[in-house]
């Protein structure tokens, strides 16, 4: 029996909206510690790794590990049926063929429940080792989103160069070139506005803006984003959930053809 | 007629009615002696019939009249016949209250007699046993799912949470309830929010920030980008003012540039305006030409904008340091300064304002060229060729 109660439906709504554009089907693995998702997009370039910790729920109970194969597009439609402030409860049996989503209005006497049929999803579970990254950048997530949105207009690729004291995002296309340079910056009053760069080795990596554009859909989940980069390695973009958990994207870089 | 009343009951009635001269209703009798109301009615009636000389009885008639369902308190047996006439249909007639004939009580007094007895909720069970009609059981269940019809009536009782009973398991049968055995979470409200707050995983990142160098304006930008932070220049008050003005206008220019090749309409406007101010027009054209040759352009503009020697120095320094990148610099900065002229000199001379318009179209072109020159060489070649790698190259399958 899985029973997860969110105090507000907003969180799950945001999570599903963040992910549904890059992966359509994914398995929600529910354990006693919370819900995890690992899914790879069709082109196998972007990997989504989600942890919704037990603490993100106002109440959470999972007697036995359950895997919920969910069609995110449909799930998103269901989740949109709830108002943001509604209580949201997820319910599933031990070996479920459907998952129940229940909304309850906090003021009015209204309870709505939706059952979503589950799917059998074959998913390759990739093993991601903790690794050392050359560079770790912390920055406001909205700032990153803006950079991606802006530079996406110019080309398909975003080049990120990190050196000792600056981070440079460059996009070069036929119509022109754009680049944004960020330097470390500490805002004591609003730490989430700070830009921190921890650098072990300079990096120069290029990523597909198409995928970055999917990644920034998670911007609403967290005020900051952590970007971890290492040469010739997928980059890690992490949005930490304030309530416990994270949404991570691993994005394979682009290489020069001869490499 | 044999007396069905026990000795005790008769004695009670005798003391209450005759000795104490109090009225005895069927309920009070039932309560005091802990007997069922049905029995109480029988005893009262029997007592009345045997003591008609001293005791009078009031009756309750229930039934239908032309007005609908009626419950009528009939003051005495003599009134009974008369009251019965009002009924079209009679369901029950039973004795209500006995009292001495000599104490005359009005109907209201009789009716209120019962109110003198406080109802003790803790003795509910007793009341039920003695014939208090028991309504549907009221459970303190929160919106019971899959519920039987009773559940509906439960709704108002939800607020009384003290007696919360475990929720009944939902049944898949169609019902007005929820198919899931969902229990309202409103009670949990406080608990829930508290938990979320206390367990927040947010970690302040202030600490990290301290460890990291925060120098903002270091001049050596190792990315190769030569733009000089204008925050340094802000120290010079005049320039600072200029900067703030120019930002807005610059944005406008950029918008136009990106959207399309917007030059033409602006040009036509400007030419009309130029005609009005021929003298200035010449000087501005000069400026445009000179702008293309980077250095003089900046100098001229700056001169025209009531500049101080300081600002000139800054710009010329920048140019002298990196001749190549000044192209981009000037491209972005020139429009600002010109537009500044507009604003600054609006009060004085309008000519410069109009002449600023024509340079706009020429700039995007100018901008694109230097960008190509400076940056294409190192990166642009690779851009098209870059090949997307797959995650599968990096992460092994489990």
């Amino acid at each position: 029996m899985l029973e997860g109660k969110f105090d507000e439906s907003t969180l799950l709504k945001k999570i599903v909206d963040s992910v549904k554009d890059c992966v359509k089907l994914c398995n929600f693995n529910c354990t006693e510690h919370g819900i995890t998702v690992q899914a790879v997009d069709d082109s196998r370039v972007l990997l989504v790794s989600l942890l919704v910790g037990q603490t993100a729920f106002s109440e959470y109970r999972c007697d036995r590990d359950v895997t919920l194969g969910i069609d995110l597009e449909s799930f998103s439609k269901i989740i949109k049926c709830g108002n943001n402030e509604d209580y949201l409860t997820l319910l599933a049996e031990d070996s479920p063929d459907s998952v129940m989503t229940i909304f309850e209005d906090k003021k009015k006497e209204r309870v709505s429940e939706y059952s979503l049929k589950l799917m059998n999803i074959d998913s390759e579970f990739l093993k991601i080792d903790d690794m050392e990254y050359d560079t770790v950048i912390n920055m406001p997530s909205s700032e990153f989103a803006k950079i991606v949105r802006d530079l996406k207009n110019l080309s398909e690729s975003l080049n990120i160069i990190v050196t000792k004291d600056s981070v440079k995002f460059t996009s070069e296309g036929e119509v022109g070139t754009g680049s944004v340079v960020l330097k470390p910056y500490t805002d004591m009053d609003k730490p989430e506005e700070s830009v921190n760069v921890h650098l072990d080795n300079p990096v120069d990596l290029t990523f597909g803006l198409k995928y970055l554009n999917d990644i920034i859909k998670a911007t609403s989940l967290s005020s900051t984003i952590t970007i971890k980069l290492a040469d010739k390695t997928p980059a890690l973009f992490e949005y930490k959930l304030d309530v416990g958990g994270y949404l991570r994207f691993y994005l394979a870089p682009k290489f020069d053809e001869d490499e | 007629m044999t007396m069905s009343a026990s000795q005790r009951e008769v004695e009670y009635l005798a003391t209450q009615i005759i000795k104490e001269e109090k009225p005895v209703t069927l309920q009070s009798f039932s309560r005091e002696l802990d007997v069922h109301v049905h029995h109480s009615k029988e005893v009262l009636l029997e007592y009345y019939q045997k003591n008609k000389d001293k005791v009078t009885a009031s009756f309750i008639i229930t039934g239908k009249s032309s007005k609908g369902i009626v419950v009528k308190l009939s003051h005495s047996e003599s009134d009974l016949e008369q009251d019965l006439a009002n009924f079209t249909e009679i369901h029950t007639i039973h004795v209500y209250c006995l009292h001495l004939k000599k104490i005359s009580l009005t109907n209201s007094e009789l009716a209120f007699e019962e109110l003198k007895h406080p109802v003790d909720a803790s003795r509910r069970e007793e009341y039920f046993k003695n014939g208090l009609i028991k309504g549907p059981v009221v459970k303190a269940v929160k919106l019971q799912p899959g519920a039987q019809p009773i559940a509906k009536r439960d709704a108002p009782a939800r607020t009384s949470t003290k007696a919360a009973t475990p929720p009944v398991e939902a049944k898949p049968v169609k019902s007005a309830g929820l198919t899931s055995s969902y229990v309202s979470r409103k009670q949990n409200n406080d608990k829930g929010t508290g938990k979320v707050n206390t367990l927040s995983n947010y970690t302040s990142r202030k600490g990290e920030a301290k460890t990291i160098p925060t120098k903002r304006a270091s001049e050596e930008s190792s990315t190769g980008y030569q733009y000089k932070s204008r925050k340094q220049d802000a120290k010079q008050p005049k320039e600072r003012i200029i900067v703030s003005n120019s930002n807005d206008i610059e944005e406008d220019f950029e918008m136009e540039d990106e959207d399309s090749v917007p030059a033409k309409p602006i040009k036509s406007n400007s030419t009309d305006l130029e005609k009005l101010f021929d003298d200035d027009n010449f000087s501005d054209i000069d400026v445009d030409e000179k702008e293309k040759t980077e250095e003089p352009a900046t100098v001229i503009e700056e001169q025209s904008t009531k500049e101080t020697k300081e600002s000139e120095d800054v710009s010329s320094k920048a140019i002298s340091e990196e001749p190549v990148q000044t192209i981009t610099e000037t491209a972005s900065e020139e429009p600002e300064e010109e537009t500044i002229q507009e604003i600054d000199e609006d009060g004085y001379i309008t000519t410069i304002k109009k002449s600023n318009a024509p340079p706009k179209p020429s700039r995007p072109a100018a901008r694109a060229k230097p960008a190509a020159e400076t940056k294409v060489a190192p990166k642009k070649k690779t851009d098209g060729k870059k090949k997307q790698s797959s995650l599968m190259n990096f992460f092994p399958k489990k």
Side-chain angles (χ1 to χ4, degrees):
Chain A
M1 177 77 176
L2 165 76
E3 186 176 24
K5 298 179 177 180
F6 290 100
D7 211 47
E8 291 202 326
S9 63
T10 332
L11 177 66
L12 194 61
K13 208 185 252 189
K14 285 179 185 169
I15 289 174
V16 172
D17 279 345
S18 310
V19 176
K20 75 173 164 60
D21 288 328
C22 42
V23 283
K24 303 280 176 242
L25 306 174
C26 61
N27 282 327
F28 281 58
N29 303 305
C30 310
T31 68
E32 54 177 335
H33 304 298
I35 297 180
T36 57
V37 173
Q38 198 203 72
V40 185
D41 85 312
D42 291 340
S43 58
R44 296 181 169 183
V45 171
L46 182 62
L47 181 143
V48 179
S49 172
L50 169 72
L51 167 66
V52 183
Q54 205 183 338
T55 54
F57 299 86
S58 54
E59 233 179 289
Y60 182 78
R61 169 186 155 205
C62 184
D63 304 334
R64 202 172 295 175
D65 291 3
V66 181
T67 300
L68 309 175
I70 288 182
D71 174 355
L72 285 178
E73 218 159 294
S74 314
F75 193 43
S76 163
K77 285 176 191 161
I78 284 179
I79 286 195
K80 287 202 173 103
C81 300
N83 293 329
N84 281 345
E85 321 76 51
D86 285 358
Y87 292 123
L88 188 156
T89 305
L90 288 180
L91 280 183
E93 305 292 322
D94 274 345
S95 47
D97 54 7
S98 67
V99 60
M100 188 73 87
T101 310
I102 302 161
F103 304 98
E104 182 181 1
D105 194 291
K106 277 178 186 156
K107 283 181 198 152
K108 298 174 196 158
E109 295 294 333
R110 189 191 63 228
V111 177
S112 27
E113 58 171 21
Y114 297 87
S115 149
L116 175 69
K117 287 180 187 162
L118 297 176
M119 312 178 72
N120 270 326
I121 301 170
D122 290 336
S123 68
E124 303 147 320
F125 204 83
L126 302 183
K127 197 177 162 209
I128 302 169
D129 298 320
D130 282 342
M131 58 170 287
E132 300 273 309
Y133 286 94
D134 292 334
T135 293
V136 179
I137 304 165
N138 280 304
M139 63 185 289
S141 58
S142 54
E143 182 98 32
F144 180 68
K146 178 172 166 48
I147 292 171
V148 171
R149 273 199 311 269
D150 292 349
L151 297 183
K152 180 185 60 150
N153 298 325
L154 293 172
S155 119
E156 292 177 350
S157 303
L158 180 73
N159 177 242
I160 304 180
I161 298 173
V162 187
T163 55
K164 193 179 75 189
D165 59 355
S166 69
V167 184
K168 184 184 185 187
F169 303 87
T170 311
S171 160
E172 296 175 2
E174 287 176 8
V175 292
T177 303
S179 58
V180 177
V181 177
L182 291 183
K183 294 194 174 173
Y185 162 69
T186 306
D187 190 327
M188 298 302 277
D189 297 329
K190 296 179 193 161
E192 70 275 5
E193 292 288 313
S194 300
V195 176
N196 301 323
V197 179
H198 183 83
L199 179 80
D200 289 333
N201 292 303
V203 288
D204 178 350
L205 288 165
T206 302
F207 300 101
L209 273 165
K210 180 175 73 160
Y211 302 102
L212 290 169
N213 193 46
D214 282 340
I215 291 173
I216 59 168
K217 284 174 182 149
T219 300
S220 60
L221 281 177
S222 173
S223 57
T224 61
I225 180 173
T226 304
I227 305 172
K228 300 185 178 181
L229 304 168
D231 195 30
K232 292 176 182 149
T233 306
L236 168 56
F237 300 85
E238 178 179 86
Y239 295 89
K240 279 205 173 70
L241 308 183
D242 287 350
V243 290
Y246 55 74
L247 177 58
R248 288 178 182 161
F249 295 91
Y250 292 87
L251 176 58
K254 283 183 160 186
F255 289 130
D256 288 336
E257 239 173 14
D258 47 334
E259 286 182 37
Chain B
M1 194 175 182
T2 53
M3 187 91 167
S4 63
S6 70
Q7 186 66 25
R8 186 173 69 106
E9 289 160 351
V10 177
E11 268 174 21
Y12 172 78
L13 287 176
T15 23
Q16 289 294 313
I17 296 171
I18 298 175
K19 236 180 171 178
E20 308 268 330
E21 298 186 359
K22 282 182 185 168
V24 173
T25 65
L26 68 103
Q27 287 96 339
S28 60
F29 182 80
S30 156
R31 239 188 337 259
E32 292 299 324
L33 298 182
D34 192 15
V35 295
H36 198 275
V37 281
H38 289 317
H39 181 65
S40 152
K41 285 173 197 167
E42 283 164 15
V43 173
L44 287 187
L45 183 65
E46 198 181 310
Y47 189 82
Y48 168 67
Q49 280 165 348
K50 287 187 178 167
N51 300 282
K52 275 188 177 172
D53 49 333
K54 286 182 233 166
V55 177
T56 181
S58 51
F59 297 86
I60 285 177
I61 315 159
T62 62
K64 284 181 186 165
S65 76
S66 50
K67 295 172 199 164
I69 293 172
V70 172
V71 178
K72 169 88 181 163
L73 178 63
S74 191
H75 191 256
S76 67
E77 197 177 355
S78 54
D79 297 336
L80 198 57
E81 287 302 317
Q82 198 185 328
D83 289 331
L84 285 177
N86 296 329
F87 284 80
T88 55
E89 192 183 325
I90 294 163
H91 295 155
T92 62
I93 307 173
H94 65 77
V95 65
Y96 171 64
C97 178
L98 298 188
H99 60 87
L100 276 183
K101 272 184 176 167
K102 61 180 182 186
I103 53 165
S104 56
L105 295 168
T106 65
N107 271 0
S108 312
E109 281 169 325
L110 287 175
F112 284 133
E113 182 63 25
E114 256 316 292
L115 295 179
K116 294 174 186 170
H117 301 277
V119 176
D120 182 356
S122 63
R123 292 174 62 198
R124 258 184 327 184
E125 285 310 310
E126 217 173 293
Y127 298 162
F128 284 137
K129 191 188 77 186
N130 289 334
L132 179 63
I133 295 170
K134 203 170 187 173
V137 181
V138 177
K139 288 185 204 160
V141 172
K142 297 160 278 172
L143 195 56
Q144 189 169 314
Q148 286 78 6
I150 285 174
K152 269 189 186 170
R153 270 176 264 167
D154 285 352
R158 241 176 293 153
T159 48
S160 68
T161 58
K162 51 183 178 182
T165 55
V168 176
E169 276 302 310
K171 277 149 206 166
V173 187
K174 272 189 185 174
S175 75
L178 297 165
T179 51
S180 56
S181 41
Y182 179 73
V183 177
S184 172
R185 288 166 56 187
K186 284 183 182 161
Q187 289 175 294
N188 305 339
N189 201 356
D190 300 335
K191 239 196 282 170
T193 51
K195 206 175 190 180
V196 169
N197 289 339
T198 53
L199 292 172
S200 164
N201 260 9
Y202 182 79
T203 50
S204 167
R205 292 160 56 207
K206 274 186 184 171
E208 293 176 51
K210 285 171 194 163
T211 65
I212 289 165
T214 56
K215 236 195 286 171
R216 298 213 63 200
S218 66
E219 290 177 28
E220 26 138 11
S221 74
S222 38
T223 51
Y225 201 92
Q226 295 305 315
Y227 178 81
K228 274 195 170 184
S229 170
R230 288 156 64 184
K231 284 176 187 159
Q232 287 178 306
D233 301 336
K235 288 166 194 166
Q236 301 167 8
K238 284 167 193 171
E239 277 242 345
R240 193 177 194 178
I241 295 161
I242 290 165
V243 168
S244 67
N245 280 337
S246 66
N247 278 340
D248 296 340
I249 298 159
E250 188 185 18
E251 279 174 17
D252 292 343
F253 290 155
E254 285 175 0
M255 290 291 288
E256 289 166 4
D257 294 346
E258 284 170 12
D259 291 345
S260 58
V261 189
K264 287 169 189 173
I266 298 172
K267 261 183 186 171
S268 64
N269 288 338
S270 60
T271 49
D272 291 341
L273 294 165
E274 280 168 353
K275 285 172 191 169
L276 296 174
F277 305 97
D278 280 337
D279 296 336
D280 297 304
N281 191 13
F282 285 113
S283 65
D284 285 328
I285 290 167
D286 290 343
V287 170
D288 294 336
E289 288 166 359
K290 284 166 186 171
E291 280 170 1
K292 287 166 190 169
T293 64
E294 305 137 22
E295 295 176 19
T298 53
V299 172
I300 289 170
E301 287 169 3
E302 288 171 50
Q303 283 171 346
S304 62
T305 60
K306 55 141 187 187
E307 258 144 35
T308 60
K309 287 173 185 176
E310 294 170 348
S311 61
E312 285 179 11
D313 290 344
V314 171
S315 60
S316 61
K317 269 182 196 170
I319 293 161
S320 63
E321 282 171 14
E322 261 102 4
V324 182
Q325 262 96 10
T326 45
I327 297 167
T328 54
E329 264 194 72
T330 50
S332 61
E333 285 178 354
E334 281 168 11
E336 303 162 12
E337 289 173 1
E338 283 186 352
T339 54
I340 295 149
Q341 291 176 359
E342 304 170 6
I343 293 163
D344 288 344
E345 297 182 16
D346 256 345
Y348 307 94
I349 310 160
T350 45
T351 52
I352 294 170
K353 192 179 189 179
K354 282 86 197 180
S355 65
N356 281 339
K360 293 175 205 165
S362 69
R363 251 165 231 149
R367 238 190 236 171
K369 284 171 194 170
E373 290 168 20
T374 55
K375 288 174 187 173
V376 164
K379 289 164 202 165
K380 237 190 179 175
K381 290 175 190 168
T382 61
D383 190 52
K385 287 182 186 175
K386 290 242 175 176
K387 194 183 162 191
Q388 180 65 59
S389 61
S390 165
L391 283 170
M392 298 304 165
N393 304 340
F394 304 100
F395 299 130
K397 284 186 193 176
K398 254 188 185 173

